[in-house]
Amino acid sequence: MNPIDLPAFLARGTAGCATADPELFYGTAAEQAIAKTVCLGCSLRADCLKDALDRGERFGVWGGLTTKERSRLTAKDGRWVDDEGRVRLACGTGPALQAHRAYGETCGTCSAAQDARVEAGRRKRLAGEHATGGTVNGYLLHRLLEEQACPACLAAQARQSSEQRKARAARKARGGDVVALKPRGARRLRVAS
């Protein structure tokens, strides 16, 4: 009889499944759910999962994940499982930034990539505003990009300011009160008496 070749990671300690019923790891969905709880406390969980992924294990619970859950990790999209058993995404993507935030973490790579995506989106919108000859929205985008506004957008902003001043002066000349515009999204405050 030939000896069974055990995975190398088992040399680093005793697996939590060593004393559990093996049928749990290959049984029904309910049994596999129990098997996953056995894996949660195992110190070899990350190594076990890595070994199963490396070997392309197609059956059972390995490293706390079922066959279906492991197949999602082999999608070649940069996902992996960290030492705490959490599924991680390739840094630099929007979903990875959301995952970092959900875990209460900060990631320089993800933050820089998000800043670059936001800037690219603003520059694309600014190009559209420039295509129409410069607009007030273009002026605002220049400000968000922390850059000097182009002459066309500056002229559009100046025209709007001039029109607003003329409208206020006309209302005042008619004897009407100058109406302060409420900022979008502002709420009225109620004063408690």
Side-chain angles (χ1 to χ4, degrees):
M1 185 173 218
N2 294 334
I4 297 173
D5 291 329
L6 293 176
F9 73 88
L10 287 176
R12 291 192 277 285
T14 303
C17 59
T19 58
D21 179 7
E23 293 298 318
L24 292 176
F25 294 85
Y26 297 96
T28 64
E31 290 171 328
Q32 287 189 0
I34 295 168
K36 289 170 68 172
T37 62
V38 172
C39 295
L40 284 176
C42 182
S43 61
L44 299 176
R45 179 180 179 196
D47 293 326
C48 177
L49 179 57
K50 183 180 181 324
D51 180 70
L53 291 172
D54 290 346
R55 290 184 295 107
E57 180 61 52
R58 294 177 33 212
F59 303 101
V61 173
W62 289 80
L65 297 180
T66 64
T67 304
K68 186 175 184 178
E69 292 166 333
R70 284 194 311 277
S71 70
R72 291 182 194 140
L73 294 180
T74 57
K76 306 287 187 237
D77 63 356
R79 291 182 279 182
W80 78 95
V81 176
D82 67 8
D83 293 338
E84 296 176 25
R86 300 178 297 194
V87 175
R88 303 302 248 175
L89 304 167
C91 283
T93 63
L97 178 63
Q98 290 175 345
H100 284 302
R101 288 178 177 164
Y103 295 142
E105 304 166 342
T106 57
C107 174
T109 303
C110 288
S111 295
Q114 177 66 14
D115 291 345
R117 283 189 296 274
V118 168
E119 181 176 348
R122 287 177 177 164
R123 292 216 178 271
K124 183 177 178 182
R125 287 178 25 222
L126 183 59
E129 300 297 331
H130 285 158
T132 64
T135 64
V136 174
N137 284 338
Y139 173 80
L140 296 173
L141 286 166
H142 281 294
R143 292 198 56 191
L144 285 171
L145 291 165
E146 298 178 354
E147 63 188 26
Q148 183 68 35
C150 69
C153 291
L154 244 148
Q157 175 64 26
R159 279 191 306 274
Q160 183 187 48
S161 294
S162 175
E163 290 168 6
Q164 288 174 342
R165 279 192 302 275
K166 287 177 187 175
R168 280 194 299 267
R171 280 193 303 269
K172 193 171 186 180
R174 287 192 309 260
D177 293 333
V178 176
V179 178
L181 298 177
K182 182 173 78 170
R184 190 180 282 180
R187 295 181 180 169
R188 292 184 183 187
L189 297 176
R190 293 185 182 172
V191 180
S193 49

